[in-house]
Amino acid sequence: MGRHQVDAPGRLHLSSAPRALRRARAAAACLAACAAAALPALAQVAPATAPAASEPVSAAACTFCRERLQTVGALRAALPADWSVRSEPEPVLGGEMLVVRAGPAQAPRLLLVHGLGQNGFTDWMPVLPALAQRWQVTAVDLPGFGYSSTRLAKLSPTNLARVLAALLQREGAGPVTVLGHSMGGAVALRLAEQQPAAVSRLVLVDVAGILHRTAFTKHLASLPVTVAGVPEPLKEPVARLRDLGNLLVERAFGLPGDPTRVLRESEALWALALRDRASANAAMALVDEDFGAALRTVTQPVWLIWGEADAVAPLRTGELLARRLPQAQLLTLPGVGHVPMVRATQDFLRLLATALEQSPAARAGPPPPAGPLQDLHCKDQVDMHYGGRWREVHIDGCMAVRLTDLVAERIVVRDAIVQMLGVQVRSPDIALEVTNSELVATASDFAGRVAIRTDASRIDLAGVRLQADGFAVQARRRSRLVVSVSEIRDAFHRGPWHDDRELEGEVLDARPAAPPPVRR
């Protein structure tokens, strides 16, 4: 072990640091550079544009944030006198954690979990007084955020869920409803998976993460316009330009080697490389986690509230969770972005009242066919939307095509850009054939002798189930597959699939490689 030269309190001089630490720092710097455009938005540190007129910004959060008040004592003096404001020892990751309690002691319990950014629990201040009238509310600053501190730790959703589980165990008053925003929604989902007896209901608001990091970053880097919002002559160029942006992100994440591999090998090394950078630490850990198991095992009622104009957490994630969690329903706010409790407080409270008081509605299945099935053909069209039941669907040379709740026996996509949501294909041969195209499929099912055959295409799957008598995926010319929280059942593998890989002239072997041991 080399000697460490200290050139500032608590900081190591990198020229004399161990090789592993230098590699970890390099990996962190590399990943931070890749996410330079993403992290500020994700952490809500500085919006790039002013909010729309329909989204007035509340000043409540910054009125109480640590940046302004500095100390817990000053915060306690600024909040209502009947609220409990305490900095408590945090036994899981170490340090002190701010815990704010408000509302009647005999009321049902509600735990608030904030997202990234140093506002911490104060992001909830626009709605917390109203919630405290009917709920016994507990709000926290997670370790490393706001008024809370932490020792060196990886601030992953799994570790932060352990922190909340320990808090609930100390309070010991039965299951709670958990309301989580952005990263806090992912932490709440992980908590419900790890400690199902502690959580009675989830309300998840504009959840960040869940998608594979490549898919999530593509959304953050995408153009802030949709094809539907531009004049007809510009629709095809805009569709192709958005496609180019997705290609560039995929290539950035497809560079040889994985810069986070050295960090994953040791949580201590991860924490050391990202010390004093809580938002970067938590954001990188967030997009690195696979929530596939949570989607399969969380059975509590789940409500999802989403701003339809969210530039950080795509509405696609909300649709995925609503369709793949066993008991879930999605509510949306048109024209609202990533922080609806701040940007559209009254509308948010209206939807939240529904989510806290009612049960999610069951999703209806597709209607039975009205007669003999026909074929659907799309040829050289732009901005088309299809649904219903069909025998075969052929999409040739079409841009910005959307298939929603469509059922077919076969789909063939050539020279096209297509999005699918809730599509079901069951075929005796090849369920989905994609050639020289970009395809994004969410919460869809493909079953056949071969589930997907791809040829010189880019395919982004999220919450997709593939079932095949042989291999689930066959590739001819080089194709890229970005896969989030999906499942495979073929002749050689059954299990989850969360990956980013290229295939060429081969079939998919989705069996996971043995992960390196994690040293805590």
Side-chain angles (χ1 to χ4, degrees), residues 165-328:
L167 172 67
L168 295 177
Q169 186 176 24
R170 293 196 301 274
E171 293 187 339
V176 301
T177 295
V178 184
L179 171 59
H181 169 249
S182 191
M183 175 196 73
V187 174
L189 186 62
R190 188 65 87 203
L191 175 65
E193 175 201 1
Q194 293 178 344
Q195 302 290 334
V199 178
S200 59
R201 172 184 300 238
L202 290 174
V203 182
L204 308 180
V205 182
D206 291 80
V207 184
I210 310 299
L211 298 178
H212 188 279
R213 66 181 185 182
T214 304
F216 186 67
T217 306
K218 284 197 298 185
H219 171 76
L220 290 168
S222 64
L223 290 173
V225 293
T226 63
V227 172
V230 300
E232 193 68 33
L234 297 178
K235 285 184 175 181
E236 182 173 348
V238 167
R240 293 190 181 276
L241 192 57
R242 289 176 64 91
D243 177 55
L244 176 61
N246 290 341
L247 174 62
L248 293 175
V249 171
E250 289 174 1
R251 286 185 175 175
F253 277 103
L255 294 173
D258 183 350
T260 64
R261 182 185 59 81
V262 65
L263 299 181
R264 289 195 192 100
E265 291 177 355
S266 168
E267 290 201 0
L269 200 58
W270 180 294
L272 190 60
L274 293 166
R275 65 183 187 273
D276 303 325
R277 298 171 62 189
S279 287
N281 183 334
M284 289 167 59
L286 170 65
V287 298
D288 203 44
E289 284 212 7
D290 179 359
F291 286 85
L295 268 62
R296 295 187 295 274
T297 59
V298 169
T299 59
Q300 297 94 325
V302 179
W303 285 89
L304 303 144
I305 300 177
W306 227 273
E308 292 183 7
D310 193 335
V312 176
L315 181 59
R316 178 191 187 194
T317 305
E319 293 166 335
L320 157 67
L321 294 172
R323 289 170 180 263
R324 285 312 190 213
L325 287 165
Q327 191 180 176

Side-chain angles (χ1 to χ4, degrees), residues 16 83 310 312 314 369 377-378 420 434 457 475 490:
S16 60
W83 290 15
D310 193 335
V312 176
H377 293 271
C378 176
M420 300 181 176
V434 188
S457 295
D490 66 15

